[in-house]
Amino acid sequence: MTKEPKHCSFCGIEASASVPMIAGTEGYICEACVMLASQVVSSWGKKKELADMQGPLPKPAEMKAMLDQYVIGQDLAKEILSVAVYNHYKRLKHVGSKTGGLGEADQSVEIGKSNILMIGPSGTGKTLLASTLAKIVGVPFAVADATTLTQAGYVGDDVENILVRLLDVADGQISRAEWGIVYIDEVDKIARSPEQAFGTRDVSGEGVQQALLRLVEGSQVKVPTKGRRKDHSGSDSVMVDTSNILFIAGGAFPGLEKHVEKRLQPPKTAIGFHAEVSNPDDKPSLEQMLNATQPDDLKRFGLIPEFIGRFPVLAPLEPLDVDALIQVLTEPKNALVKQYQQLFAFDEVDLEFTQDALVEIAEKAIARNTGARGLRGIMEQVLRKTMFDLPSRTNVQRCIVNAEVIRGEGEIQVVERDGVADGGDLKRLSGGE
Ligand SMILES: Nc1ncnc2c1ncn2[C@@H]1O[C@H](COP(=O)(O)OP(=O)(O)O)[C@@H](O)[C@H]1O
Ligand SMILES: [Mg+2]
Protein backbone atom coordinates (compact mmCIF):
# COMPACT_ATOMS: atom_id res chain seq x y z
CA MET A 1 0.00 0.00 0.00
CA THR A 2 1.32 3.40 -0.97
CA LYS A 3 0.68 6.45 1.14
CA GLU A 4 -1.51 8.20 -1.38
CA PRO A 5 -3.86 10.79 0.17
CA LYS A 6 -7.37 9.53 0.79
CA HIS A 7 -10.10 10.94 -1.39
CA CYS A 8 -13.87 10.75 -1.07
CA SER A 9 -14.94 8.26 -3.70
CA PHE A 10 -18.11 10.29 -4.35
CA CYS A 11 -16.99 13.90 -4.63
CA GLY A 12 -13.22 13.49 -4.77
CA ILE A 13 -12.40 15.81 -1.89
CA GLU A 14 -9.12 15.08 -0.17
CA ALA A 15 -9.10 13.91 3.45
CA SER A 16 -7.72 16.34 6.02
CA ALA A 17 -8.15 17.23 9.65
CA SER A 18 -11.34 19.13 8.81
CA VAL A 19 -12.53 16.58 6.26
CA PRO A 20 -12.54 13.19 7.92
CA MET A 21 -13.33 10.11 5.87
CA ILE A 22 -15.30 6.99 6.57
CA ALA A 23 -13.49 4.06 5.06
CA GLY A 24 -15.17 1.24 3.20
CA THR A 25 -13.59 -1.86 1.71
CA GLU A 26 -13.10 -0.21 -1.68
CA GLY A 27 -13.07 3.50 -0.96
CA TYR A 28 -13.94 6.44 1.27
CA ILE A 29 -16.84 8.77 1.81
CA CYS A 30 -16.77 12.27 3.32
CA GLU A 31 -19.28 13.74 5.74
CA ALA A 32 -20.97 16.01 3.16
CA CYS A 33 -21.64 13.09 0.85
CA VAL A 34 -23.05 11.05 3.72
CA MET A 35 -25.48 13.91 4.41
CA LEU A 36 -26.56 14.16 0.80
CA ALA A 37 -26.95 10.41 0.50
CA SER A 38 -29.02 10.39 3.66
CA GLN A 39 -31.33 13.06 2.23
CA VAL A 40 -31.78 11.10 -0.96
CA VAL A 41 -32.55 7.90 0.91
CA SER A 42 -35.00 9.55 3.29
CA SER A 43 -36.91 11.06 0.37
CA TRP A 44 -37.42 7.55 -1.04
CA GLY A 45 -39.52 6.58 1.92
CA LYS A 46 -41.57 9.78 1.79
CA LYS A 47 -42.63 9.17 -1.77
CA LYS A 48 -44.46 6.06 -0.78
CA GLU A 49 -46.07 7.96 2.08
CA LEU A 50 -47.26 10.65 -0.27
CA ALA A 51 -48.78 8.15 -2.66
CA ASP A 52 -50.85 6.77 0.20
CA MET A 53 -51.70 10.20 1.55
CA GLN A 54 -53.28 11.77 -1.50
CA GLY A 55 -56.95 11.43 -2.26
CA PRO A 56 -58.23 9.71 -5.36
CA LEU A 57 -56.86 10.99 -8.63
CA PRO A 58 -59.63 12.60 -10.70
CA LYS A 59 -60.32 10.77 -13.94
CA PRO A 60 -59.54 12.60 -17.21
CA ALA A 61 -63.20 13.51 -17.77
CA GLU A 62 -63.43 14.87 -14.23
CA MET A 63 -60.25 16.89 -14.72
CA LYS A 64 -61.63 18.37 -17.91
CA ALA A 65 -64.89 19.28 -16.20
CA MET A 66 -62.91 21.10 -13.50
CA LEU A 67 -60.78 22.87 -16.09
CA ASP A 68 -64.00 23.99 -17.77
CA GLN A 69 -64.85 26.02 -14.68
CA TYR A 70 -61.78 28.19 -15.08
CA VAL A 71 -60.66 28.01 -18.69
CA ILE A 72 -62.82 28.92 -21.68
CA GLY A 73 -62.64 26.86 -24.86
CA GLN A 74 -59.44 24.95 -25.70
CA ASP A 75 -61.31 21.64 -25.62
CA LEU A 76 -58.63 19.74 -27.51
CA ALA A 77 -55.83 20.99 -25.27
CA LYS A 78 -57.91 20.24 -22.18
CA GLU A 79 -58.49 16.66 -23.29
CA ILE A 80 -54.85 16.08 -24.16
CA LEU A 81 -53.67 17.64 -20.88
CA SER A 82 -56.19 15.74 -18.77
CA VAL A 83 -55.10 12.42 -20.20
CA ALA A 84 -51.39 13.24 -19.89
CA VAL A 85 -51.67 14.48 -16.32
CA TYR A 86 -53.88 11.55 -15.35
CA ASN A 87 -51.41 9.05 -16.81
CA HIS A 88 -48.49 10.78 -15.16
CA TYR A 89 -49.93 10.60 -11.65
CA LYS A 90 -51.51 7.20 -12.15
CA ARG A 91 -48.05 5.92 -13.03
CA LEU A 92 -46.56 7.54 -9.92
CA LYS A 93 -49.26 6.20 -7.65
CA HIS A 94 -48.97 2.68 -8.89
CA VAL A 95 -45.27 2.36 -9.22
CA GLY A 96 -44.49 4.73 -6.35
CA SER A 97 -41.33 5.75 -8.05
CA LYS A 98 -38.22 4.20 -9.47
CA THR A 99 -36.98 3.79 -5.97
CA GLY A 100 -40.14 3.85 -3.89
CA GLY A 101 -42.40 0.98 -2.94
CA LEU A 102 -43.43 -1.47 -5.58
CA GLY A 103 -47.00 -1.48 -6.78
CA GLU A 104 -48.92 -4.45 -8.05
CA ALA A 105 -48.42 -3.29 -11.61
CA ASP A 106 -46.26 -5.33 -13.92
CA GLN A 107 -42.82 -4.06 -13.13
CA SER A 108 -41.37 -5.31 -16.37
CA VAL A 109 -43.20 -2.58 -18.28
CA GLU A 110 -41.59 0.73 -17.55
CA ILE A 111 -43.87 3.60 -18.44
CA GLY A 112 -41.90 6.63 -19.50
CA LYS A 113 -42.67 10.14 -18.41
CA SER A 114 -44.63 12.24 -20.87
CA ASN A 115 -43.87 15.91 -20.53
CA ILE A 116 -46.19 18.20 -22.43
CA LEU A 117 -45.57 20.98 -24.95
CA MET A 118 -48.37 23.52 -25.36
CA ILE A 119 -48.42 25.51 -28.57
CA GLY A 120 -50.64 28.55 -28.84
CA PRO A 121 -50.71 32.34 -29.05
CA SER A 122 -50.12 34.58 -26.06
CA GLY A 123 -53.00 35.02 -23.65
CA THR A 124 -54.94 31.93 -24.66
CA GLY A 125 -54.70 30.10 -21.35
CA LYS A 126 -51.47 28.10 -21.36
CA THR A 127 -50.27 29.19 -17.94
CA LEU A 128 -53.82 29.11 -16.62
CA LEU A 129 -54.28 25.51 -17.78
CA ALA A 130 -51.04 24.35 -16.21
CA SER A 131 -51.68 26.07 -12.87
CA THR A 132 -55.30 24.89 -12.73
CA LEU A 133 -54.22 21.31 -13.38
CA ALA A 134 -51.72 21.50 -10.52
CA LYS A 135 -54.53 22.73 -8.28
CA ILE A 136 -56.82 19.92 -9.40
CA VAL A 137 -54.22 17.25 -8.67
CA GLY A 138 -53.09 19.03 -5.52
CA VAL A 139 -49.37 19.22 -6.24
CA PRO A 140 -46.93 22.14 -5.96
CA PHE A 141 -46.64 24.30 -9.05
CA ALA A 142 -43.97 26.67 -10.27
CA VAL A 143 -43.66 28.81 -13.39
CA ALA A 144 -40.37 29.56 -15.08
CA ASP A 145 -39.77 31.91 -17.96
CA ALA A 146 -37.38 30.39 -20.45
CA THR A 147 -36.22 33.81 -21.62
CA THR A 148 -34.84 34.70 -18.20
CA LEU A 149 -32.68 31.59 -18.34
CA THR A 150 -30.82 32.81 -21.40
CA GLN A 151 -27.76 34.17 -19.67
CA ALA A 152 -27.69 31.50 -17.05
CA GLY A 153 -27.42 28.81 -19.68
CA TYR A 154 -23.72 29.57 -19.63
CA VAL A 155 -23.35 29.78 -15.90
CA GLY A 156 -25.47 26.76 -15.42
CA ASP A 157 -27.10 27.41 -12.08
CA ASP A 158 -30.16 29.44 -12.93
CA VAL A 159 -32.01 26.42 -14.24
CA GLU A 160 -31.83 24.98 -10.75
CA ASN A 161 -33.65 28.07 -9.48
CA ILE A 162 -36.81 26.66 -11.03
CA LEU A 163 -36.55 23.91 -8.44
CA VAL A 164 -35.83 26.42 -5.68
CA ARG A 165 -39.21 27.98 -6.41
CA LEU A 166 -40.95 24.62 -6.57
CA LEU A 167 -39.37 23.65 -3.27
CA ASP A 168 -40.58 26.93 -1.75
CA VAL A 169 -44.14 26.24 -2.86
CA ALA A 170 -43.82 22.75 -1.39
CA ASP A 171 -42.91 24.32 1.97
CA GLY A 172 -39.45 22.87 1.66
CA GLN A 173 -40.72 19.30 1.53
CA ILE A 174 -38.49 17.64 -1.03
CA SER A 175 -40.78 14.68 -1.56
CA ARG A 176 -43.71 16.97 -2.35
CA ALA A 177 -41.66 19.05 -4.76
CA GLU A 178 -40.58 15.88 -6.53
CA TRP A 179 -44.20 15.25 -7.53
CA GLY A 180 -44.84 18.79 -8.62
CA ILE A 181 -45.60 20.43 -11.92
CA VAL A 182 -43.26 22.96 -13.53
CA TYR A 183 -44.47 25.20 -16.33
CA ILE A 184 -41.75 26.60 -18.56
CA ASP A 185 -43.09 29.57 -20.48
CA GLU A 186 -41.87 30.98 -23.79
CA VAL A 187 -39.78 28.02 -24.87
CA ASP A 188 -40.14 29.21 -28.46
CA LYS A 189 -37.85 32.10 -27.52
CA ILE A 190 -34.96 29.77 -26.72
CA ALA A 191 -35.01 28.29 -30.17
CA ARG A 192 -31.95 29.03 -32.21
CA SER A 193 -32.99 31.07 -35.17
CA PRO A 194 -33.09 29.11 -38.41
CA GLU A 195 -30.80 31.56 -40.19
CA GLN A 196 -28.20 30.80 -37.61
CA ALA A 197 -28.57 27.07 -37.92
CA PHE A 198 -25.53 26.91 -40.11
CA GLY A 199 -22.42 28.98 -39.99
CA THR A 200 -22.63 31.41 -37.11
CA ARG A 201 -22.70 29.87 -33.73
CA ASP A 202 -25.77 30.69 -31.71
CA VAL A 203 -25.23 29.02 -28.41
CA SER A 204 -27.44 31.08 -26.13
CA GLY A 205 -30.80 29.54 -26.95
CA GLU A 206 -29.37 26.13 -27.53
CA GLY A 207 -27.39 26.40 -24.33
CA VAL A 208 -30.56 26.93 -22.35
CA GLN A 209 -32.21 24.02 -24.07
CA GLN A 210 -29.26 21.86 -23.10
CA ALA A 211 -29.38 23.08 -19.51
CA LEU A 212 -33.09 22.40 -19.31
CA LEU A 213 -32.64 18.92 -20.77
CA ARG A 214 -30.80 17.76 -17.72
CA LEU A 215 -33.66 18.90 -15.52
CA VAL A 216 -36.43 17.63 -17.71
CA GLU A 217 -35.12 14.18 -18.46
CA GLY A 218 -34.93 13.31 -14.81
CA SER A 219 -31.85 13.45 -12.66
CA GLN A 220 -30.62 14.22 -9.20
CA VAL A 221 -30.18 17.96 -9.11
CA LYS A 222 -28.37 19.81 -6.38
CA VAL A 223 -30.64 22.69 -5.37
CA PRO A 224 -29.30 25.56 -3.30
CA THR A 225 -31.39 26.38 -0.23
CA LYS A 226 -29.57 29.67 0.49
CA GLY A 227 -30.72 29.76 4.06
CA ARG A 228 -34.34 29.58 2.97
CA ARG A 229 -34.79 26.67 5.24
CA LYS A 230 -32.66 25.37 8.04
CA ASP A 231 -32.11 21.74 7.60
CA HIS A 232 -30.79 19.59 10.35
CA SER A 233 -27.67 18.62 8.49
CA GLY A 234 -26.77 22.31 8.19
CA SER A 235 -26.11 21.81 4.49
CA ASP A 236 -26.93 24.70 2.15
CA SER A 237 -28.22 22.51 -0.64
CA VAL A 238 -30.53 19.58 -1.08
CA MET A 239 -30.82 16.92 -3.73
CA VAL A 240 -34.02 16.95 -5.75
CA ASP A 241 -34.90 14.07 -8.04
CA THR A 242 -36.65 15.48 -11.09
CA SER A 243 -37.65 12.18 -12.66
CA ASN A 244 -41.25 12.41 -11.39
CA ILE A 245 -41.73 16.13 -11.86
CA LEU A 246 -44.13 16.85 -14.70
CA PHE A 247 -42.72 19.49 -17.00
CA ILE A 248 -45.11 21.43 -19.17
CA ALA A 249 -43.56 23.76 -21.70
CA GLY A 250 -45.43 26.43 -23.60
CA GLY A 251 -44.83 28.86 -26.38
CA ALA A 252 -46.47 30.78 -29.19
CA PHE A 253 -44.20 29.38 -31.90
CA PRO A 254 -45.16 32.10 -34.36
CA GLY A 255 -45.14 30.80 -37.90
CA LEU A 256 -45.16 27.14 -36.95
CA GLU A 257 -48.81 26.73 -37.87
CA LYS A 258 -48.35 28.28 -41.29
CA HIS A 259 -45.68 25.76 -41.89
CA VAL A 260 -47.92 22.87 -40.95
CA GLU A 261 -50.89 24.34 -42.75
CA LYS A 262 -48.89 24.52 -45.93
CA ARG A 263 -48.22 20.84 -45.74
CA LEU A 264 -51.88 20.13 -45.08
CA GLN A 265 -53.02 22.19 -48.05
CA PRO A 266 -50.51 21.84 -50.83
CA PRO A 267 -50.78 24.80 -53.19
CA LYS A 268 -53.38 24.13 -55.86
CA THR A 269 -51.68 24.03 -59.20
CA ALA A 270 -54.77 23.49 -61.32
CA ILE A 271 -55.47 26.38 -63.64
CA GLY A 272 -58.50 27.10 -65.72
CA PHE A 273 -62.23 26.78 -65.48
CA HIS A 274 -62.20 23.46 -63.77
CA ALA A 275 -59.73 24.49 -61.16
CA GLU A 276 -61.10 23.83 -57.74
CA VAL A 277 -61.77 27.04 -55.93
CA SER A 278 -60.19 26.70 -52.56
CA ASN A 279 -62.13 28.45 -49.88
CA PRO A 280 -59.81 30.62 -47.81
CA ASP A 281 -62.06 30.05 -44.78
CA ASP A 282 -61.71 26.34 -45.19
CA LYS A 283 -58.86 26.15 -42.74
CA PRO A 284 -57.74 22.84 -41.32
CA SER A 285 -59.06 22.13 -37.85
CA LEU A 286 -56.85 22.36 -34.81
CA GLU A 287 -56.91 18.59 -34.57
CA GLN A 288 -55.81 18.18 -38.16
CA MET A 289 -53.04 20.69 -37.57
CA LEU A 290 -51.93 18.82 -34.49
CA ASN A 291 -51.87 15.50 -36.25
CA ALA A 292 -49.84 17.06 -38.99
CA THR A 293 -47.33 18.74 -36.70
CA GLN A 294 -44.16 16.73 -36.78
CA PRO A 295 -41.07 16.93 -34.63
CA ASP A 296 -39.34 18.10 -37.78
CA ASP A 297 -41.42 21.29 -37.74
CA LEU A 298 -40.24 22.04 -34.23
CA LYS A 299 -36.70 21.22 -35.22
CA ARG A 300 -36.93 23.57 -38.15
CA PHE A 301 -38.19 26.14 -35.68
CA GLY A 302 -34.93 25.78 -33.78
CA LEU A 303 -35.54 23.30 -30.99
CA ILE A 304 -32.91 20.64 -30.64
CA PRO A 305 -34.07 17.06 -31.24
CA GLU A 306 -33.22 15.94 -27.70
CA PHE A 307 -35.39 18.70 -26.30
CA ILE A 308 -38.28 17.88 -28.63
CA GLY A 309 -37.93 14.23 -27.70
CA ARG A 310 -38.50 15.06 -24.05
CA PHE A 311 -41.89 16.60 -24.78
CA PRO A 312 -43.73 13.83 -26.59
CA VAL A 313 -47.22 15.19 -25.87
CA LEU A 314 -48.24 18.19 -27.97
CA ALA A 315 -51.26 20.28 -27.03
CA PRO A 316 -52.38 23.08 -29.36
CA LEU A 317 -54.34 26.12 -28.22
CA GLU A 318 -56.39 28.33 -30.47
CA PRO A 319 -56.66 32.10 -30.50
CA LEU A 320 -59.68 33.38 -28.58
CA ASP A 321 -62.31 35.08 -30.77
CA VAL A 322 -64.80 37.74 -29.69
CA ASP A 323 -67.30 35.23 -28.33
CA ALA A 324 -64.63 33.36 -26.39
CA LEU A 325 -63.26 36.60 -24.92
CA ILE A 326 -66.75 37.63 -23.79
CA GLN A 327 -67.02 34.25 -22.10
CA VAL A 328 -63.64 34.84 -20.45
CA LEU A 329 -64.97 38.18 -19.20
CA THR A 330 -68.16 36.78 -17.75
CA GLU A 331 -68.16 33.04 -17.16
CA PRO A 332 -65.24 31.58 -15.19
CA LYS A 333 -65.51 31.44 -11.41
CA ASN A 334 -63.20 34.42 -11.11
CA ALA A 335 -64.23 36.18 -14.34
CA LEU A 336 -63.20 39.84 -14.54
CA VAL A 337 -66.74 41.18 -14.77
CA LYS A 338 -67.67 39.20 -11.65
CA GLN A 339 -64.61 40.54 -9.86
CA TYR A 340 -65.43 44.18 -10.60
CA GLN A 341 -69.10 43.63 -9.80
CA GLN A 342 -68.01 42.34 -6.41
CA LEU A 343 -65.76 45.37 -5.89
CA PHE A 344 -68.67 47.69 -6.68
CA ALA A 345 -71.01 45.63 -4.54
CA PHE A 346 -68.84 46.40 -1.52
CA ASP A 347 -70.02 49.99 -2.05
CA GLU A 348 -73.56 48.73 -2.64
CA VAL A 349 -73.49 49.63 -6.30
CA ASP A 350 -74.62 47.37 -9.16
CA LEU A 351 -72.20 47.33 -12.05
CA GLU A 352 -73.64 46.48 -15.42
CA PHE A 353 -72.07 45.97 -18.83
CA THR A 354 -74.26 46.08 -21.91
CA GLN A 355 -73.73 43.30 -24.43
CA ASP A 356 -72.25 45.69 -26.99
CA ALA A 357 -69.81 46.96 -24.35
CA LEU A 358 -68.54 43.42 -23.88
CA VAL A 359 -68.18 43.02 -27.65
CA GLU A 360 -66.25 46.29 -27.78
CA ILE A 361 -63.90 45.20 -24.98
CA ALA A 362 -63.28 41.87 -26.71
CA GLU A 363 -62.53 43.60 -30.02
CA LYS A 364 -60.17 45.99 -28.33
CA ALA A 365 -58.30 43.06 -26.78
CA ILE A 366 -58.06 41.33 -30.14
CA ALA A 367 -56.64 44.49 -31.69
CA ARG A 368 -53.95 44.50 -29.00
CA ASN A 369 -53.00 40.97 -29.96
CA THR A 370 -52.49 39.83 -26.40
CA GLY A 371 -55.44 37.48 -26.17
CA ALA A 372 -57.30 37.49 -22.87
CA ARG A 373 -54.25 38.99 -21.20
CA GLY A 374 -55.26 42.48 -22.37
CA LEU A 375 -58.74 42.35 -20.88
CA ARG A 376 -57.82 43.42 -17.38
CA GLY A 377 -55.96 46.49 -18.58
CA ILE A 378 -58.93 47.58 -20.66
CA MET A 379 -61.32 47.08 -17.74
CA GLU A 380 -59.07 49.03 -15.38
CA GLN A 381 -58.84 51.90 -17.81
CA VAL A 382 -62.58 51.99 -18.39
CA LEU A 383 -63.54 51.84 -14.72
CA ARG A 384 -60.72 53.85 -13.18
CA LYS A 385 -62.46 57.20 -12.99
CA THR A 386 -65.65 55.73 -11.63
CA MET A 387 -63.77 53.70 -9.05
CA PHE A 388 -62.08 56.94 -8.01
CA ASP A 389 -65.32 58.88 -7.59
CA LEU A 390 -67.73 56.27 -6.36
CA PRO A 391 -66.58 55.82 -2.76
CA SER A 392 -67.16 59.57 -2.20
CA ARG A 393 -70.78 59.30 -3.24
CA THR A 394 -73.57 57.85 -1.16
CA ASN A 395 -76.64 57.59 -3.35
CA VAL A 396 -75.45 55.65 -6.37
CA GLN A 397 -77.40 52.50 -7.12
CA ARG A 398 -76.19 51.39 -10.53
CA CYS A 399 -73.41 52.04 -13.03
CA ILE A 400 -74.00 51.06 -16.62
CA VAL A 401 -71.15 50.64 -19.10
CA ASN A 402 -72.01 50.67 -22.79
CA ALA A 403 -69.99 50.49 -25.99
CA GLU A 404 -69.49 54.27 -26.22
CA VAL A 405 -67.74 54.22 -22.86
CA ILE A 406 -65.32 51.58 -24.09
CA ARG A 407 -64.66 53.55 -27.26
CA GLY A 408 -63.96 56.60 -25.12
CA GLU A 409 -66.92 58.45 -26.58
CA GLY A 410 -69.13 58.54 -23.52
CA GLU A 411 -69.32 58.41 -19.76
CA ILE A 412 -70.45 55.59 -17.55
CA GLN A 413 -74.15 56.04 -16.86
CA VAL A 414 -74.91 56.47 -13.16
CA VAL A 415 -78.33 55.69 -11.69
CA GLU A 416 -79.02 57.19 -8.27
CA ARG A 417 -81.18 55.66 -5.61
CA ASP A 418 -84.03 58.09 -6.19
CA GLY A 419 -84.17 56.78 -9.73
CA VAL A 420 -82.52 59.70 -11.51
CA ALA A 421 -80.36 58.53 -14.36
CA ASP A 422 -77.42 60.83 -14.60
CA GLY A 423 -74.34 60.75 -16.72
CA GLY A 424 -73.38 64.36 -16.14
CA ASP A 425 -73.12 64.45 -12.42
CA LEU A 426 -70.27 62.04 -12.28
CA LYS A 427 -68.58 63.87 -15.08
CA ARG A 428 -68.77 67.06 -13.10
CA LEU A 429 -67.52 65.35 -10.00
CA SER A 430 -64.49 63.97 -11.73
CA GLY A 431 -63.64 67.25 -13.37
CA GLY A 432 -65.32 66.57 -16.70
CA GLU A 433 -63.75 67.28 -20.06
N1 LIG B 1 -59.01 30.28 -22.29
C1 LIG B 1 -59.08 31.13 -21.26
N2 LIG B 1 -60.11 31.08 -20.39
C2 LIG B 1 -60.18 31.94 -19.36
N3 LIG B 1 -59.27 32.89 -19.09
C3 LIG B 1 -58.21 32.98 -19.91
C4 LIG B 1 -58.06 32.11 -21.03
N4 LIG B 1 -56.92 32.44 -21.66
C5 LIG B 1 -56.40 33.45 -20.98
N5 LIG B 1 -57.15 33.80 -19.92
C6 LIG B 1 -56.90 34.90 -18.99
O1 LIG B 1 -55.83 35.68 -19.49
C7 LIG B 1 -54.73 35.72 -18.58
C8 LIG B 1 -53.45 35.33 -19.28
O2 LIG B 1 -53.55 33.97 -19.66
P1 LIG B 1 -52.32 32.97 -19.66
O3 LIG B 1 -52.81 31.65 -19.24
O4 LIG B 1 -51.20 33.54 -18.89
O5 LIG B 1 -51.97 32.98 -21.20
P2 LIG B 1 -50.72 32.33 -21.93
O6 LIG B 1 -49.94 31.59 -20.89
O7 LIG B 1 -51.32 31.45 -22.97
O8 LIG B 1 -49.98 33.48 -22.52
C9 LIG B 1 -55.06 34.75 -17.45
O9 LIG B 1 -54.88 35.36 -16.24
C10 LIG B 1 -56.51 34.40 -17.64
O10 LIG B 1 -57.29 35.09 -16.70
MG1 LIG C 1 -48.18 32.41 -20.13
Side-chain angles (χ1 to χ4, degrees), residues 145-163:
D145 189 328
T147 55
T148 64
L149 300 171
T150 307
Q151 294 295 340
Y154 295 101
V155 184
D157 70 354
D158 224 23
V159 168
E160 279 84 56
N161 283 340
I162 299 174
L163 298 181

Side-chain angles (χ1 to χ4, degrees), residues 123 126-128 183 185-186 373:
K126 297 185 292 295
T127 312
L128 184 63
Y183 177 65
D185 210 355
E186 308 215 60
R373 190 186 300 267

Side-chain angles (χ1 to χ4, degrees), residues 188-236:
D188 53 335
K189 307 264 170 61
I190 53 165
R192 53 168 178 218
S193 46
E195 306 87 58
Q196 288 177 310
F198 351 70
T200 46
R201 249 158 47 96
D202 167 34
V203 280
S204 60
E206 200 178 325
V208 182
Q209 289 185 52
Q210 295 282 6
L212 279 171
L213 255 190
R214 211 167 36 85
L215 215 66
V216 167
E217 58 192 8
S219 52
Q220 296 279 345
V221 179
K222 200 168 172 178
V223 179
T225 48
K226 289 186 212 134
R228 280 163 189 270
R229 62 190 269 272
K230 284 245 159 53
D231 120 322
H232 47 273
S233 68
S235 138
D236 59 358

Side-chain angles (χ1 to χ4, degrees), residues 247-396:
F247 289 91
I248 304 179
F253 291 90
L256 182 73
E257 55 187 46
K258 264 186 221 121
H259 199 77
V260 180
E261 214 168 311
K262 215 187 287 169
R263 215 182 24 233
L264 276 184
Q265 302 176 302
K268 299 244 158 53
T269 46
I271 311 168
F273 292 113
H274 298 293
E276 234 183 286
V277 179
S278 75
N279 179 0
D281 292 335
D282 195 15
K283 285 181 70 174
S285 74
L286 206 60
E287 188 134 22
Q288 287 170 321
M289 295 269 289
L290 172 70
N291 292 336
T293 304
Q294 291 170 4
D296 247 14
D297 298 323
L298 293 165
K299 197 173 125 194
R300 226 161 278 147
F301 196 90
L303 292 186
I304 58 176
E306 297 90 325
F307 192 84
I308 300 165
R310 285 293 159 189
F311 292 89
V313 179
L314 296 185
L317 282 87
E318 46 192 340
L320 300 171
D321 59 15
V322 171
D323 285 343
L325 286 173
I326 292 176
Q327 279 179 283
V328 170
L329 279 169
T330 55
E331 284 179 12
K333 281 200 162 165
N334 52 349
L336 280 175
V337 166
K338 289 183 188 170
Q339 288 185 35
Y340 284 104
Q341 281 173 337
Q342 183 60 60
L343 271 178
F344 277 60
F346 290 143
D347 288 325
E348 281 156 42
V349 177
D350 291 330
L351 174 65
E352 209 180 293
F353 288 85
T354 63
Q355 187 60 27
D356 58 349
L358 295 175
V359 171
E360 199 73 32
I361 295 173
E363 281 172 351
K364 220 170 176 172
I366 287 175
R368 288 185 183 183
N369 233 336
T370 49
R373 190 186 300 267
L375 292 173
R376 179 174 282 276
I378 297 170
M379 292 285 269
E380 273 298 317
Q381 205 184 335
V382 164
L383 296 175
R384 195 192 63 237
K385 254 166 65 179
T386 307
M387 290 192 294
F388 181 82
D389 294 329
L390 214 53
S392 313
R393 300 180 56 163
T394 50
N395 58 342
V396 177

Side-chain angles (χ1 to χ4, degrees), residues 48 51 54-57 88-96 179:
K48 183 67 182 139
Q54 284 191 334
L57 181 67
H88 179 76
Y89 286 99
K90 186 171 62 174
R91 164 180 160 269
L92 293 196
K93 282 190 163 230
H94 279 272
V95 187
W179 277 40

